[in-house]
């Protein structure tokens, strides 16, 4: 690449000059290319250790002048070809021009200006791309990564680090390259090279640890090996980036979502040294994720910046130190001291932002006023003017009336126009499924249920009123609504229980669902209209579970509650088809409807499924399995003795799934569990972990004495059944499980408030960031475990349908899936989402398109056909693609491969025969009019009765036709009897349902053009065989025999169809035409032959003339004139080729092809030979390593060791 001219004082140090002229020198770095000796090894080692090869490419071109000792570096190259192209351009374009200059300074100035102009011209089309943001050193490192590891341009480097890779007990100092899809390491020390490439999708464990053997290292584990890296300059930064990349890979496995760079990142004010645009993207993603989690904001919210400041808290009469966060829709504050104060101000609520007067007590203050008359005062702001300007900019983009129009959260797969058209509409449409006139549109189910009950004046009711009064005092002091100050006092009130009247409002506030609902008016109503009435697997499951949702509660014993539940669940399934519906969602949603109107319950469900319980309710409940693993780790950390015993019994994995999926609502009395939901919406998942640990701790002694799983589950079940809420106002709802399992002795009751208090006292040290770290570790393990389960299921299903062994099927599945995954990030003709459907059975989930299929076929297929391989692959793809969706699943792929490897000779030949007939042939390959007509009318049966002597495939049709004619003579009584015999129709129906076994007689006939193509394929298949010449001769013999058979069939066909008058005028058969047909085949064989065949001198060539002659296939000129036999057809002559035309009446059957091939022992041996796919699979797996070696051979003539 051309570079801006740089001064070089020592042109010869560490460099070898290879070419020179009076003005330019082409140099190669010592240690690259051939030879170099000890100095080359030392320089190569130095380059790797000091990363000089990232700054200095192995080739360069210098500008020199006779009178100066200063050289100018004007070009560098990573390969000899690249630098040679630059050298030739200089010689042809600049050398003559600069030779006429008199002054050396003018030469230097001219060349420098020319090179700078070229660079500017090259960079012009790249404006706006990521490469423009990356510094030169980073681009050099990215080019080096692609060269060393054979990566395509689509593979983007995120960052690279100097580190040591432990190979055995020996550390190898080198460079770790972290790209979007791969972890790569390269080391070159004293002639020994280490190359490592690991796909992120193969990583099963990623840990940062410090031991005596490996000081502060990162361990990267895959299914088969472990890799240790240490001696990082900043191990924490490296490990965080590794975590992000592994998370993206797991998301790719889970949802098939490939990484997409964020194009809307603001450009840095100055060029960041050694930081790529992708690294900035990843850093921004990490900050955005922490910001959204901290304040429960939506997934589209992006942090613009944050700064230190103080907030005046009127309730405490003091300034609280913390950080101010600004994003596109919110201003947020979080105190430095945990739980002291948190604040969320939506910009839609802001009315005034102004600078207040500065003073020594209150420097640089900013006042923000909201529409509900609240005022917030921030001070100690470093760049107040810039901050106010940013807030003003965001406020201008936040119109009050068009939030619904700009919403990105439309139903997946639907446009936003329908929701936008009715956004903010207040009209009530009585014909709509959901309208404001419905009882549940404005009231929660508990309000409807308690509407006519007399007012309770008992002690419990008074306690409830006291709670309400405490919250009212809190609202007056700390504010009410989304802008409320959230403090430790707020948590205390929640732990004491939220009053029933305020529960829905506060759930909506603390979960962040209130913000989503406020910014999407009319969205739910339109979604209901779109979803209701549509039938899918999700709606069927919803209907089945509607009456199982809290059936003991009176609110769901009537159609009002059931209808509201149906609308919410169906709407969400329509909004997010990726989740659809999962069991346990009905239980959670029914509780939400008890305390919230219908639309609020919907947005709470959105917050639960998409933010607070990520991946909990997808098809494989991955999120719940992840948290189950986290719970096991927490049990091991806090309750080690109990953990060991429970692991022996296998209890933890059994009990915890239902606890997390339903937030204890299905295992605990409703009035008690709803208090845990209160805490969950405020604190998040850590409360559920705390309570689960407290439950195990309270039952530790009983659990340690258990001898089996059933006993332990009974103990825990009874304990949870008797967790009671003694403060509840409503009548206690009987818990069905408690009624069924209660014994004779009255059980000991546990107060839910005591349980929650105990959980905070014993396990309150749990932190959300620690839980997220543990979740990451478990996510790798769970998703890879699910992938292994899927692989085992596929292998078991395919064992009965193919002859491959278990190990072979597992390897093939991994190769098939790897090809699918590679295409997700390196491009494909179809999108990944089209080729992966998690709702399908495991056998059909991963699908590949024709391009990927050809890549696998070329490496794995036993039939190597040279340049004809791609054509054969495309035909096999069309043959296997039975539903014609342009995709082939694993089952279809194995079916085709198994036929080629494990079928008998007849099956292999039948497959090969089918590959030269429609539907394997594409329309372009069906050139003749007859063939094209057949291709588009293949459902029309052919007339084959005239070939009864050569092909009996039509006998069944004739027989069935005769039966129908015979049946026409039946009496009316027999017809009536047959009608009445229903068993006859059942047998006929069953017979129709049975899969019809295809026989060789069912195969259609092959015309001459298809036969010529078949001969080409066979001829290409034998090019690498040891008995190549014998096979060629056998094919020529078989082709000649089949030509004669086709001619006989044609004559018979013409004779049977010709009328008497036509027969009188018929011309005798033209021997030149027959010879022309044969020459057409022979010419095709010669065209397909890679090398001229050697002359055959066996006795078989001089058989008696009464037998069918064997035609030797040779090219004209390969034999002398006296060597050419009478029965040898010369091919290669232009005149005979031009006179050759295809005979549309000529055809043969598969039986004739099979019978002819059986007469040649070399062909029989070839097709009956058992072939081992293990070698092919090993080649396929090693293909990436081979590519890497090939890509770097030009620079390092040293043996490469790929690990």
């Amino acid at each position: 690449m051309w570079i801006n001219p740089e001064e070089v004082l020592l042109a010869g140090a560490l460099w070898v000059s290879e070419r020179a002229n009076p003005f330019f020198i082409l140099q190669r770095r010592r240690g690259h290319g051939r030879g170099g000796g000890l100095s080359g090894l030392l320089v190569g080692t130095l380059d790797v250790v000091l990363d000089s090869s990232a700054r200095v490419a192995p080739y360069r071109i210098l500008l020199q002048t006779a009178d100066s000792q200063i050289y100018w570096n004007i070009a560098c190259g990573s390969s000899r070809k690249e630098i040679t192209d630059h050298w030739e351009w200089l010689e042809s374009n600049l050398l003559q021009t600069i030779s006429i200059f008199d002054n050396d300074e003018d030469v230097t100035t001219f060349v420098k200006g020319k090179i700078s102009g070229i660079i500017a011209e090259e960079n012009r089309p790249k404006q706006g791309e990521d490469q423009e943001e990356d510094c030169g050193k980073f681009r050099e490192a990215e080019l080096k990564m692609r060269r060393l590891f054979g990566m395509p341009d689509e593979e983007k480097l995120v960052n690279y680090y100097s580190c040591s890779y432990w190979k055995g007990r020996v550390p190898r100092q080198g460079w770790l390259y972290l790209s979007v899809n791969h972890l790569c390491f390269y080391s070159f020390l004293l002639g020994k090279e280490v190359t490592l490439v690991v796909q992120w999708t193969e990583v099963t464990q990623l840990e940062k640890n410090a031991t005596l053997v490996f000081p502060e290292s990162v361990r990267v584990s895959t299914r088969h090996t472990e890799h240790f890296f240490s001696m990082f300059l900043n191990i924490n930064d490296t490990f965080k980036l590794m975590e992000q990349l592994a998370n993206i890979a797991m998301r790719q496995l889970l949802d098939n979502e490939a990484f997409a760079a964020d194009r809307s990142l603001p450009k840095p004010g100055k060029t960041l040294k050694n930081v790529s645009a992708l690294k900035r993207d990843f850093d921004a993603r990490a900050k955005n994720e922490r910001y959204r989690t901290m304040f429960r904001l939506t997934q589209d919210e992006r942090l613009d910046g944050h700064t230190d400041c103080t907030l005046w808290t009127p309730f405490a009469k003091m300034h609280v130190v913390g950080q101010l966060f600004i994003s596109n829709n919110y201003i947020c504050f979080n105190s430095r001291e945990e739980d002291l104060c948190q604040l969320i101000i939506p910009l839609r609520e802001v009315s005034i932002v102004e600078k207040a007067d500065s003073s020594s007590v209150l420097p640089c203050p900013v006042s923000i006023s909201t529409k509900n008359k609240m005022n917030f005062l921030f001070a100690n702001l470093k760049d107040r003017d810039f901050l106010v300007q940013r807030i003003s900019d965001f406020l201008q983009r936040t119109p009050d009336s068009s939030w619904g129009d700009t919403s990105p959260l439309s139903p997946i797969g639907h446009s936003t126009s329908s929701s936008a058209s009715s956004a903010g509409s207040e009209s009530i449409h009585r014909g709509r499924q959901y309208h404001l006139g419905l009882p549940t549109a404005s009231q929660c189910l508990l309000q409807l249920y308690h509407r006519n009950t007399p007012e309770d004046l008992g002690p419990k009711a008074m306690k409830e009123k006291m709670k309400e009064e405490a919250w009212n005092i809190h609202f007056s002091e700390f504010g009410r609504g989304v802008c409320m100050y959230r403090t430790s006092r707020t948590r205390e009130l929640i732990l004491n229980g939220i009053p029933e009247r305020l529960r829905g409002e506060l759930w909506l506030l603390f979960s962040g669902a209130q913000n989503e609902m406020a910014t999407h008016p009319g969205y739910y109503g339109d979604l209901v209209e779109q979803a209701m009435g549509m039938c899918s697997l999700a709606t069927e499951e919803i209907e089945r579970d509607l009456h199982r949702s809290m059936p003991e509660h009176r609110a769901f014993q009537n159609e009002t509650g059931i209808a509201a539940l149906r609308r919410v669940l169906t709407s969400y399934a329509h909004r997010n088809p990726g989740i659809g519906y999962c069991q346990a969602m009905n239980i959670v949603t029914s509780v939400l409807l008890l305390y919230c109107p219908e639309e609020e319950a919907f947005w709470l469900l959105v917050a639960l499924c998409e933010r607070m319980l990520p991946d909990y309710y997808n098809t494989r409940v991955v999120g719940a399995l992840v948290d189950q693993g986290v719970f096991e780790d927490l049990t091991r950390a806090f309750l080690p003795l109990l953990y060991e015993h429970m692991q022996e019994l296998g209890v933890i994995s059994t009990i915890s799934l239902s606890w997390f999926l339903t937030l204890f609502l299905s295992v605990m009395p409703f009035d008690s569990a709803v208090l845990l939901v209160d805490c969950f919406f405020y604190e998040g998942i850590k409360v559920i972990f705390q309570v689960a640990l407290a439950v195990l701790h309270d039952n530790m002694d009983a659990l340690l004495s258990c001898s089996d799983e059933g006993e332990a589950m009974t103990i825990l079940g009874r304990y949870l059944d008797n967790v009671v809420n003694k403060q509840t106002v409503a009548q206690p709802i009987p818990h069905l499980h408690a009624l069924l399992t209660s014994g004779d002795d009255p059980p000991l009751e546990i107060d839910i408030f005591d349980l929650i208090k105990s959980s905070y006292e014993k396990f309150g040290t749990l932190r959300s960031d620690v839980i997220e770290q543990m979740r990451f570790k478990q996510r790798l393990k769970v998703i890879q475990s699910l992938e292994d389960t899927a692989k085992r299921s596929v292998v078991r299903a395919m064992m009965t349908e193919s002859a491959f062994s278990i190990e072979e099927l597992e390897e093939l599945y991994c190769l098939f899936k790897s090809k699918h995954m590679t295409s997700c990030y390196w491009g494909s003709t179809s999108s990944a989402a089209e080729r992966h459907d998690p709702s399908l059975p495991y056998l059909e989930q991963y699908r590949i398109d024709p391009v990927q299929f050809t890549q696998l076929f070329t490496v794995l297929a036993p039939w190597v056909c040279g340049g004809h391989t791609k054509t054969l692959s495309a035909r096999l793809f069309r043959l296997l693609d039975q539903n014609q969706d342009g995709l082939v699943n694993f089952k279809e792929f194995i079916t085709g491969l198994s036929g080629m490897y494990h079928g008998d000779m007849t099956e292999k030949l039948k497959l090969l025969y089918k590959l030269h007939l429609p539907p394997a042939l594409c329309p372009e390959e069906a050139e003749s009019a007859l063939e094209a007509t057949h291709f588009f009318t293949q459902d029309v049966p052919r007339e084959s009765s005239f070939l009864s002597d050569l092909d009996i495939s039509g006998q069944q049709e004739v027989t069935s036709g005769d039966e129908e004619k015979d049946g026409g003579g039946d009496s009316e009584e027999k017809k009536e009897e047959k009608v009445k015999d229903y068993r006859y129709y059942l047998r006929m129906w069953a017979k129709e349902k049975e899969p019809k076994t295809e026989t060789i007689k069912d195969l259609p006939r092959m015309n001459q053009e298809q036969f010529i193509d078949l001969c080409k394929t066979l001829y290409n298949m034998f090019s690498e065989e040891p008995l190549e010449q014998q096979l060629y001769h056998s094919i020529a013999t078989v082709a000649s025999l089949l030509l004669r058979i086709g001619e006989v069939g044609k004559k018979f066909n013409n004779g049977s169809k010709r009328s008497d008058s036509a027969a009188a005028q018929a011309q005798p058969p033209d021997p030149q035409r027959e010879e022309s047909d044969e020459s057409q085949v022979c010419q095709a064989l010669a065209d397909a032959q890679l090398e001229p065949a050697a002359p055959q001198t066996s006795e078989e060539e001089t058989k008696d003339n009464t037998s069918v002659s064997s035609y030797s296939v040779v090219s004209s000129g390969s034999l002398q004139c006296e060597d050419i036999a009478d029965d040898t057809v010369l091919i290669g002559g232009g005149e005979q080729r031009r006179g050759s035309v295809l005979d549309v009446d000529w055809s043969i059957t598969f039986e004739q092809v099979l019978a002819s091939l059986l007469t040649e022992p070399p062909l029989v041996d070839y097709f009956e030979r058992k072939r081992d796919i293990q070698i092919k699979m090993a080649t396929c797996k090693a293909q990436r390593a081979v590519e890497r070696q090939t890509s770097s051979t030009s620079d390092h003539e040293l043996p490469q060791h790929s690990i």
Side-chain angles (χ1 to χ4, degrees), residues 40-55:
L41 291 177
L42 291 174
V43 173
T45 300
L46 203 64
D47 283 346
V48 171
V49 173
L50 300 180
D51 190 31
S52 58
S53 57
R55 293 190 294 271

Side-chain angles (χ1 to χ4, degrees), residues 625-683:
L625 293 174
V626 167
D627 280 352
Q628 180 178 288
V630 172
F631 182 54
E632 290 187 15
D633 286 349
L634 290 173
T635 306
R636 178 168 49 194
F638 287 99
L639 308 169
L641 290 177
L642 183 60
Y643 171 78
E644 292 179 5
H645 185 66
M646 297 281 275
Q647 282 296 99
E648 293 175 5
L649 301 180
V651 175
I652 296 181
S653 59
T654 307
I655 59 173
S656 57
L657 195 61
S658 60
W659 295 3
F660 294 119
L661 273 174
T662 63
L663 304 176
F664 284 96
L665 286 166
S666 63
V667 296
M668 196 180 283
F670 167 75
D671 295 317
S672 303
V674 78
L675 291 174
L676 295 182
V677 179
D678 293 343
C679 300
F680 167 76
F681 277 123
Y682 187 77
E683 294 272 26

